[in-house]
Amino acid sequence: LKYLPENRVLPFGMKDNFWEMGATGPCGPCTEIHYDRIGNRFVPERVNADLPDLVEIWNLVFIQFNREPDSSLRLLPAKSVDTGMGFERLTSVLQDVDSNYDTDVFKGIFDAIQEIDGAAPGPQGRDYVLRRVCRRAVVYGREKLGAGKDKQPFLYKLVPAVVQGFGDAFPELKKEGNFEKVQKIIKDEEILFNKTLQNGIKTFKKAASNLKEGDTLNGAICANLLTTYGFPIDLTTLMAEEKGILIDEDGFKQAMKVHSEVSKKTSDSGGMKLKLEAEQVAIIKQKNIAVTDDSAKYEWTSTGSGPKCKASVKAIYLGKADFEEKAGTGTTCGLLLDSTNFYAEQGGQIYDVGTITTPSGVFTVEDCQVAAGYVLHIGKVTSGSMSVGQACEATVDYARRSLIAKNHTATHLLNFALREVLKKDVDQKGSLVQPNRFRFDFSSDKGMKVKQIATVEGLVAKQVESKYEVYRRPTQLDDAKKINGLRAVFGEKYPDPVTVVSVGADVEQILKEPDSNKWTNFSIEFCGGTHVKNSKEIENFVIVSESSIAAGIRRIEALTGPAASKSLKLGKEVKSTVESFGKYNDMVKITEAVSIIDEKLAKKKGGDEGGEELPYDVRDWLQQQREMLMAKRKKLHKAGGDQAKGASLDAAKQLAEEINKSESKFAVAKLDAQGNVSIMNAAITAFQKISPGVPFMCLSEVKAGGKMAAIAVVPKELATKLSAKVWLSETLKQCGGKGGGRDFRAQGASKDSTNIAAAIEFARKMAQESLK
């Protein structure tokens, strides 16, 4: 030791001094700096004892292992040190206060909480991370500080206090529009969480109600709180600590492992997953393998053809740290070549597929990924063998890439059109470009209207019909950023030089006068993907869905080329079929029409060629047609019901009068009540007013041979002779139905009224025998 006395350096085991990022990944031992808030004492026994007076303020992690899926540790070829300081803790030390929450970092925020709910805090206590932070704050604010007692969002009201306290350090918070955007995102997230929060808290409290202080909460319950209600384990732990109960951490981990395996089985398409990470890249560099030259990926014809690429096999990767010199038939592996014409998945564009051929075998490429400049061709040796050092030819499925290119260029045109229609509210948040379709995520506070979607489709169609040339040019990043009207993905890091892709305007001309307003009339973006040569190659464009995927984020899914043509054709056919439905005035036909529309609306995505989905505007039109038919059916049903009610009441009254004249001891009748129980009850009431002391059973079909309802009533003084429950049940058995109730009133039904005449005859004979 050079700077510290030996007694100030304390050894601990893996439980306290071994850092891991998760179940798998880089990890290693760590050294921590702890600070004694009281001072002038030596209390090593209080270190790592989770006491507020002796806190960890700094951590240095020696990243030297990788935790494997089987929980084993493997040495990393390249080691590093990761340092992390607790900003709030260090601030509390510098300001000599007992808690992070007593520092001026939080003072303004807590003052705002007081203004919101009149409660004062006591002395105690990439996207998913933000969600966890927000949700923990919501639960803590409600359960501990009494905020949001009316179950209304409250967290977003703290934004002004945060901006005031941190705006100078983070000037983007003060940028125009960001303040309101942050408030809305937090408010929307809290509203979303509120839907499950109360149920989650109830579930926790119910589970904890039978536990006393010192007991342990079942790990499976903790896992359920996370997977069902969105409660992170640290939030559940916080709630448990307040009640003095412990968490079954091992049980939680096991339950989450089972949940993860089930989820993986549900989502995994099978096959071996190969991926180059830091460890594999380090091994490749140790082999002195140069990064892959993939410039040939741009040497092709966007209508669907291109040359083969001559290369050599530099490495064969089998997974983990396993690199081999040779792979035989049937082996799933990854090939590294010195050069390639394959496009590796990146920038939202899916990978190329194809084949790699050597003198000794054929390799089918099913996936293609890139890491640190190394392009990994993933697939299977389908015949012969592959060996390191062999010459090879790489052949891309250019017909498939042609479909991808149509969709990729269309994402640029869609991005441009959205900006025109929704104005400044739009920022691209991601995309996925596939052969059969593409999706485009963008920022927007609310869903698009049908007219807006139609306008967007029109703008894209106009650019397609304009037969714009598509230009791509590597450009110095600083020069490219000066282009007026340029679109880029928020938060994305771009290389220098960066590739500028323009639809309709020559990049050379753009760079001569980058600040010209005329460039705002064209789609201009940073992009390293593969595109069509001319916008006319897109052929057709159709939006098939627009939906929300997160707070403030919308997603459009669309088709181009043959898939769009098929979708448009399908839309015309469906409209042609459904347009005649509006003329229907018959209940049966309308019901059948609604079923047909539901079937059309249920059409899902097709295969690789797509085209099995309806255009968005047709789906919306179908929904309107359905609503119109449902309204008409309701009106007809009411009219039919009124008619049936009148006929049933008249029939019941007439029957009662006839019974009084004939002095019959019972009555059984079939009513035209359409199986409507409320109408049948009304008929029974009408019958009893005229003939109150007579047992009465009425039966009614929904339609001939279809469902049937039945009700029986027997005066209490006669129920010992003729039980309404037995009478009805035995009668319905004749039609395969059943019923229940009491001796003086029973009700039942049958799915088949074919034998209703026989049932009526049975009911009459049974009543006659019972009432002798």
Side-chain angles (χ1 to χ4, degrees), residues 266-573:
T266 303
S267 61
D268 198 347
S269 59
M272 186 175 184
K273 302 298 181 183
L274 296 174
K275 187 177 181 182
L276 295 179
E277 296 183 322
E279 178 187 9
Q280 291 78 31
V281 169
I283 293 173
I284 293 169
K285 288 181 177 178
Q286 288 173 3
K287 294 176 178 289
N288 294 318
I289 299 174
V291 295
T292 311
D293 177 7
D294 64 348
S295 57
K297 67 188 177 186
Y298 296 120
E299 298 170 8
W300 73 300
T301 303
S302 59
T303 51
S305 62
K308 298 179 179 180
C309 177
K310 295 186 180 297
S312 64
V313 180
K314 307 304 291 183
I316 299 174
Y317 175 54
L318 298 181
K320 293 189 177 181
D322 191 1
F323 287 81
E324 296 291 339
E325 292 295 307
K326 188 175 181 178
T329 303
T331 303
T332 297
C333 58
L335 299 186
L336 280 179
L337 312 181
D338 59 346
S339 60
T340 186
N341 51 353
F342 277 77
Y343 184 89
E345 183 169 6
Q346 55 191 314
Q349 180 175 324
I350 200 169
Y351 49 81
D352 279 339
V353 299
T355 59
I356 295 172
T357 307
T358 70
S360 63
V362 177
F363 180 84
T364 300
V365 181
E366 300 171 352
D367 192 355
C368 192
Q369 300 292 325
V370 63
Y374 294 101
V375 176
L376 185 68
H377 307 77
I378 304 166
K380 184 179 290 185
V381 181
T382 47
S383 68
S385 62
M386 299 278 127
S387 297
V388 172
Q390 283 186 311
C392 65
E393 278 191 337
T395 305
V396 171
D397 183 346
Y398 287 113
R400 177 178 177 273
R401 188 200 278 182
S402 176
L403 297 174
I404 295 170
K406 296 177 193 295
N407 283 330
H408 200 154
T409 305
T411 65
H412 288 218
L413 301 183
L414 173 62
N415 194 6
F416 171 83
L418 286 171
R419 179 185 61 187
E420 294 296 301
V421 174
L422 302 181
K423 306 304 178 185
K424 66 178 182 179
D425 295 332
V426 179
D427 277 317
Q428 182 177 346
K429 293 297 183 181
S431 63
L432 177 61
V433 182
Q434 298 174 301
N436 61 319
R437 65 198 297 106
F438 74 85
R439 71 184 189 215
F440 185 86
D441 301 339
F442 60 99
S443 60
S444 183
D445 294 336
K446 52 189 176 183
M448 295 178 67
K449 297 178 180 177
V450 178
K451 286 185 178 179
Q452 289 177 314
I453 288 176
T455 303
V456 166
E457 285 183 317
L459 287 172
V460 174
K462 183 179 179 182
Q463 294 175 90
V464 172
E465 292 163 3
S466 296
K467 301 179 181 179
Y468 282 145
E469 197 78 12
V470 179
Y471 301 87
R472 61 174 301 277
R473 183 186 187 280
T475 307
Q476 293 300 312
L477 186 58
D478 287 342
D479 293 336
K481 286 181 176 179
K482 296 175 184 176
I483 298 173
N484 190 14
L486 176 79
R487 303 291 286 171
V489 179
F490 179 76
E492 185 79 8
K493 290 184 178 180
Y494 293 97
D496 192 4
V498 67
T499 300
V500 176
V501 174
S502 169
V503 183
D506 190 336
V507 180
E508 295 282 355
Q509 296 300 315
I510 294 173
L511 292 173
K512 289 178 181 178
E513 42 179 342
D515 56 353
S516 173
N517 287 331
K518 60 186 175 184
W519 309 132
T520 60
N521 297 318
F522 300 93
S523 165
I524 306 171
E525 296 191 25
F526 292 159
C527 183
T530 56
H531 291 269
V532 298
K533 182 64 178 173
N534 190 289
S535 64
K536 68 180 180 181
E537 296 172 30
I538 295 172
E539 302 172 41
N540 280 309
F541 172 82
V542 58
I543 292 174
V544 294
S545 73
E546 191 275 345
S547 60
S548 171
I549 61 168
I553 308 293
R554 308 293 299 180
R555 171 172 292 170
I556 281 178
E557 294 190 60
L559 310 174
T560 65
S565 299
K566 288 182 180 180
S567 180
L568 290 167
K569 182 182 177 183
L570 178 65
K572 288 181 181 178
E573 292 172 352

Side-chain angles (χ1 to χ4, degrees), residues 631-687:
K632 185 181 284 189
R633 187 169 77 170
K634 184 178 180 180
K635 186 176 180 180
L636 287 172
H637 183 74
K638 185 179 185 301
D642 291 344
Q643 185 177 357
K645 184 176 182 179
S648 296
L649 290 176
D650 289 343
K653 290 175 183 177
Q654 184 177 346
L655 179 61
E657 289 170 354
E658 291 175 358
I659 291 293
N660 286 345
K661 290 177 182 177
S662 65
E663 297 183 357
S664 178
K665 295 181 179 180
F666 64 89
V668 179
K670 176 184 173 183
L671 299 178
D672 294 327
Q674 301 176 348
N676 189 310
V677 174
S678 63
I679 294 176
M680 294 168 70
N681 279 323
I684 289 172
T685 301
F687 177 90

Side-chain angles (χ1 to χ4, degrees), residues 706-741:
K707 294 180 180 179
M708 176 183 77
I711 301 175
V713 291
V714 176
K716 290 184 179 181
E717 59 272 18
L718 296 176
T720 54
K721 292 184 177 181
L722 178 65
S723 165
K725 179 180 178 181
V726 176
W727 189 26
L728 183 87
S729 297
E730 293 300 317
T731 298
L732 285 176
K733 283 181 182 179
Q734 312 307 308
C735 294
K738 56 184 179 180

Side-chain angles (χ1 to χ4, degrees), residues 150-226:
D150 54 359
K151 298 182 182 179
Q152 295 299 310
F154 69 91
L155 199 61
Y156 76 98
K157 298 177 183 178
L158 306 181
V159 171
V162 175
V163 172
Q164 184 177 359
F166 292 88
D168 293 336
F170 301 95
E172 59 269 26
L173 289 174
K174 294 183 175 180
K175 188 177 178 182
E176 183 181 357
N178 279 1
F179 177 91
E180 294 79 7
K181 183 183 288 187
V182 170
Q183 272 200 313
K184 186 173 191 316
I185 288 173
I186 292 175
K187 184 178 182 180
D188 289 347
E189 176 62 30
E190 191 172 355
I191 291 172
L192 183 67
F193 186 37
N194 280 348
K195 295 178 181 179
T196 58
L197 176 60
Q198 296 306 316
N199 287 334
I201 291 175
K202 286 179 182 177
T203 300
F204 171 82
K205 288 182 176 179
K206 183 178 180 181
S209 63
N210 296 323
L211 301 177
K212 57 183 181 294
E213 191 170 338
D215 285 349
T216 300
L217 182 65
N218 188 291
I221 293 173
C222 300
N224 181 56
L225 285 168
L226 172 58

